[in-house]
Amino acid sequence: VQLQASGGGLVQAGGSLRLSCVASEKFSSINAMSWYRQAPGKQRELVAAITSGGATNYADSVKGRFTISRDNAKNTVYLQMNSLKPEDTAVYTCNARVWITDYWGKGTLVTVSS
């Protein structure tokens, strides 16, 4: 599975961004899609995930601000990020889980200025 992420950029605190991740395979063959992020000097963390059945889960730090969704027809998963904070600054990476195998796309940088 190849993943292409886009949508990162520079935004002021309180602003919004939407990340997109296009998969080379149909979602019917993918168990779950996720967004991870890694800030400078920190470990990578799970931000949000959506399963093939549509169940979602979020990191506590983004609940109520971020929304993960998908468009099956476009093989695309989105991460809508609202009320962004400087601590959301990180490289965001898309992940696809197919059975026990993880596939990773290239990250997209999100920078939130105060």
Side-chain angles (χ1 to χ4, degrees):
V1 179
Q2 293 182 335
L3 304 169
Q4 181 67 49
S6 61
L10 174 64
V11 64
Q12 288 188 332
S16 298
L17 281 175
R18 189 178 78 159
L19 305 183
S20 300
C21 177
V22 181
S24 61
E25 302 289 333
K26 291 186 179 297
F27 282 165
S28 58
S29 66
I30 298 174
N31 300 107
M33 296 285 294
S34 306
W35 287 98
Y36 285 75
R37 69 184 181 187
Q38 186 167 20
K42 294 188 177 182
Q43 290 188 330
R44 184 171 61 194
E45 64 172 346
L46 175 66
V47 177
I50 184 166
T51 69
S52 58
T56 59
N57 72 287
Y58 298 90
D60 288 342
S61 59
V62 307
K63 282 181 180 177
R65 299 189 298 123
F66 290 10
T67 302
I68 189 169
S69 62
R70 67 186 189 193
D71 184 330
N72 292 339
K74 296 181 179 180
N75 297 339
T76 301
V77 64
Y78 302 100
L79 184 67
Q80 178 66 43
M81 305 185 294
N82 299 327
S83 302
L84 283 161
K85 305 175 181 179
E87 52 262 44
D88 294 318
T89 294
V91 174
Y92 287 71
T93 306
C94 183
N95 167 278
R97 170 66 64 87
V98 180
W99 296 107
I100 62 171
T101 302
D102 282 313
Y103 297 88
W104 299 91
K106 290 185 178 180
T108 184
L109 177 63
V110 172
T111 304
V112 184
S113 62
S114 57

